[in-house]
Amino acid sequence: FLLFLNASALAQNNHTGETVALIKRAEAAFSKLSSLKAKFIQVSSDGSVSEGDIYLRRPFQLRLDYTNPESLSIVTSKRVIYINDKIGKQVDVYPISETPFAPMLKEKVQFTGPNFTTGAALESGIISIKMSRDTGDGAGILTLEFTSDTGRLLRWIISDAIGVTTTVSLQNPVYDSRLENKLFSVPSYEKENSN
């Protein structure tokens, strides 16, 4: 449910000077980030609520551990995303390009590109970057929200093909601290399943 699905595109092809400046500001702030760990709360418009821990080490590495429910974790590498179903003891693998995390995890942070449309707005001290793609495997809408003064990521919002909007908000974030390598190890049940 964190993957992009089909969604309608935004009609925002013409960037004003202000829009470009906001996008560049958010890109620059996020590029400076080396790591992030935080609690998160995920709320979907279908009524479901989840929570857990997020670990980000740029570039490429992201981990989401769900603690409510405790059935899922997500780990990324340079090219793929691993979705670990802890109950079914199964790991599904997808190209990172099919996920909304791709722009955040690249070596060079870039919130614009030829395959999607980007809009930006500044309101009440929050910069919103909205990226939309209406074709291909990565189709969908992702909105990233940053503080305008520090450029810190506050939350992201994903809209899918059936109209469900999922909002992930960060709680008590800690920036630029050392994160252990084992947090980003590839989940596997091969040894367990072979016994």
Side-chain angles (χ1 to χ4, degrees), residues 1-4 30 36 38-43 53-56 62-64 66 74 99-101 104-105 127-129 131 141-146 153-159 165-171:
F1 47 83
L2 283 167
L3 302 181
F4 267 150
F30 205 76
L36 162 68
K39 298 287 185 184
F40 71 84
I41 297 176
Q42 178 178 301
V43 180
D53 297 288
I54 180 172
Y55 306 92
L56 169 69
L62 175 71
R63 181 184 184 99
L64 294 171
Y66 285 81
I74 295 170
T99 79
F101 305 119
M104 295 189 287
L105 298 178
I127 297 174
S128 297
I129 307 294
M131 291 168 276
I141 299 172
L142 168 67
T143 302
L144 301 174
E145 294 187 353
F146 300 88
L153 179 66
L154 295 174
R155 66 178 186 165
W156 64 82
I157 304 161
I158 300 168
S159 299
T165 299
T166 301
T167 302
V168 178
S169 301
L170 304 184
Q171 311 285 317

Side-chain angles (χ1 to χ4, degrees), residues 63-79:
R63 181 184 184 99
L64 294 171
D65 274 329
Y66 285 81
T67 55
N68 176 29
E70 293 183 355
S71 59
L72 184 71
S73 68
I74 295 170
V75 180
T76 66
S77 68
K78 187 172 183 177
R79 292 185 177 84

Side-chain angles (χ1 to χ4, degrees), residues 97-178:
S97 60
E98 291 184 19
T99 79
F101 305 119
M104 295 189 287
L105 298 178
K106 288 182 179 177
E107 199 153 3
K108 181 182 179 186
V109 176
Q110 198 163 9
F111 296 147
T112 59
N115 299 321
F116 55 93
T117 305
T118 306
L122 173 60
E123 187 175 347
S124 302
I126 305 297
I127 297 174
S128 297
I129 307 294
K130 187 173 283 190
M131 291 168 276
S132 174
R133 183 173 172 181
D134 64 345
T135 59
D137 293 330
I141 299 172
L142 168 67
T143 302
L144 301 174
E145 294 187 353
F146 300 88
T147 57
S148 62
D149 55 350
T150 62
R152 298 301 199 190
L153 179 66
L154 295 174
R155 66 178 186 165
W156 64 82
I157 304 161
I158 300 168
S159 299
D160 71 16
I162 58 175
V164 175
T165 299
T166 301
T167 302
V168 178
S169 301
L170 304 184
Q171 311 285 317
N172 304 317
V174 176
Y175 299 94
D176 301 323
S177 64
R178 185 179 175 277

